[in-house]
Amino acid sequence: MLYVWIGLGICAGVVLTALFVWFNNSCLKITRYKVADKSCRSAVRIVHLSDLHGKTFGKRNVKLIEKVMREKPDIIAVTGDIIHKYTPKNKKVALEAVSDLSKIAPVFFVSGNHELRGLQYRVFKSELIEAGARVLDDCCADICGITLVGLKCSSQKNGAIEKITPAGEGAKVLLFHKPHFAYMYAGYGYALALCGHAHGGQWRIPFTGIGVFSPGQGMFPKLTSGLHNIDGLKTVISRGLGNSECPLRLFNRPEIVVAELLPETDAEAEK
C-alpha cells in the first residue's frame, strides 16, 4: 500500500509540474500602461507584441489573436524576433500571425536580432509586407495623430536615430528591439518607446520582479520588463511571447502589452 501512495504522489508531482510549466509558457498575460505626454493630442491605444519566436497559442495563434482583438487597439506594434529560425514552420507561424493581426488594426514591425541572423531577411521582409505589416526599419509613419519611428535592429547603435527622428512637436513613438540601447535615444523628443528582446529575464525570481539573464545585459539584468524612465525616455519593455535558446519560462508568463498614450489633460482627469 505504501508503494501505491508513493506512486500516486510521484504521478501527482509530475502532473503539477507539467501544469506549472504549461501555465508559465502558454497562459497569456495582458499588462496595461498609461503614459501621458504634452506632445500627444488625442488618446492612442497600442498593442505591443514582441519575441514570438515562432510560438503558437492555439491553432493559428487563435488565443493570441482573440486577446488582441478584445483590446480594440488603434495600432499593433511588433518589436522584432517574430521568428526564431528561418524554417518553413517558423515563417508560416509569423506570416499567419501578421495576416490575422492586420485585420484588427494596422501592424507595424521592426526587425530583431533573429530576423537579421540569416541572409533571408530581405525576402522575409517582403513576405511580411505582403501579409499586411508595415516594416519600419529606419523609417517612420504617421498614423492616429502620432508618428511611429522604427529602428532596424542592426542600426540601434550606429547613430541612425539622428537621421530618422522627424522634426516637429507632435507625439512620436519609437519602436526598437534591444532595451539596453534605450539610453542612446533619450533627448530626441519621444513620448514613448517600445522594445522587447530581454524575455523578462527568462526565469524571474518570485515576488521580486528580478530576471535571471538577458542577452546583452548578462546576469540579473535591470531592463527586462515594465515601464522605465531612462534618462527621461519613457520606455516600455515587453517580456515577450516565445522562447529563444532557453526553452522554458519560469514565473514569467508570455505577455501582451497594451500601452495607451494620452494627452496630459486626459491623464490628469483620470486620477
Side-chain angles (χ1 to χ4, degrees):
M1 191 67 178
L2 177 60
Y3 293 114
V4 172
W5 285 110
I6 291 173
L8 289 173
I10 292 172
C11 290
V14 169
V15 170
L16 289 173
T17 300
L19 287 172
F20 174 76
V21 170
W22 172 84
F23 180 77
N24 276 266
N25 290 268
S26 298
C27 192
L28 289 158
K29 176 180 175 61
I30 296 177
T31 308
R32 295 180 174 85
Y33 302 97
K34 292 182 183 292
V35 176
D37 192 89
K38 62 183 180 182
S39 65
C40 185
R41 299 292 178 259
S42 60
V44 180
R45 178 173 294 206
I46 304 172
V47 164
H48 173 210
L49 307 174
S50 195
D51 300 274
L52 183 63
H53 284 280
K55 183 174 176 61
T56 55
F57 298 88
K59 186 176 181 180
R60 202 180 166 105
N61 260 312
V62 64
K63 295 178 182 178
L64 173 64
I65 302 301
E66 287 178 350
K67 283 186 176 292
V68 172
M69 187 182 299
R70 289 192 199 108
E71 294 302 316
K72 299 180 179 179
D74 300 304
I75 298 165
I76 299 171
V78 182
T79 56
D81 283 3
I82 197 170
I83 63 163
H84 184 59
K85 295 180 180 179
Y86 281 112
T87 63
K89 181 180 178 181
N90 263 215
K91 290 179 66 175
K92 183 174 185 288
V93 167
L95 296 173
E96 285 180 347
V98 167
S99 177
D100 291 342
L101 289 168
S102 67
K103 296 170 185 174
I104 301 171
V107 175
F108 294 87
F109 174 87
V110 291
S111 56
N113 53 294
H114 278 258
E115 280 84 26
L116 301 185
R117 276 185 174 181
L119 300 176
Q120 301 182 50
Y121 181 55
R122 183 176 294 183
V123 174
F124 184 58
K125 178 179 175 180
S126 298
E127 292 172 336
L128 286 169
I129 294 170
E130 290 176 8
R134 176 82 179 270
V135 178
L136 291 185
D137 280 347
D138 297 344
C139 60
C140 56
D142 294 322
I143 186 168
C144 297
I146 66 173
T147 300
L148 290 177
V149 181
L151 272 172
K152 188 176 182 179
C153 190
S154 57
S155 300
Q156 290 180 119
K157 54 182 179 180
N158 68 3
I161 189 73
E162 298 180 5
K163 301 175 183 177
I164 64 174
T165 298
E169 298 180 354
K172 297 183 281 288
V173 175
L174 179 63
L175 309 179
F176 64 105
H177 186 60
K178 298 180 178 179
H180 49 285
F181 290 117
Y183 71 94
M184 299 179 67
Y185 316 137
Y188 288 93
Y190 287 99
L192 177 65
L194 302 173
C195 58
H197 182 64
H199 292 211
Q202 200 68 47
W203 297 0
R204 293 175 74 81
I205 300 173
F207 312 114
T208 67
I210 297 173
V212 174
F213 177 81
S214 171
Q217 298 183 68
M219 298 298 294
F220 306 111
K222 294 182 179 180
L223 301 174
T224 64
S225 175
L227 175 62
H228 298 257
N229 189 321
I230 301 174
D231 295 338
L233 177 63
K234 298 168 187 173
T235 305
V236 172
I237 305 168
S238 168
R239 294 200 305 274
L241 295 162
N243 299 320
S244 185
E245 273 67 28
C246 181
L248 293 176
R249 292 168 170 258
L250 291 177
F251 303 102
N252 179 26
R253 289 164 59 190
E255 181 180 50
I256 298 169
V257 169
V258 180
E260 193 165 5
L261 186 61
L262 300 168
E264 286 188 338
T265 51
D266 288 0
E268 291 169 0
E270 289 189 6
K271 291 181 180 179

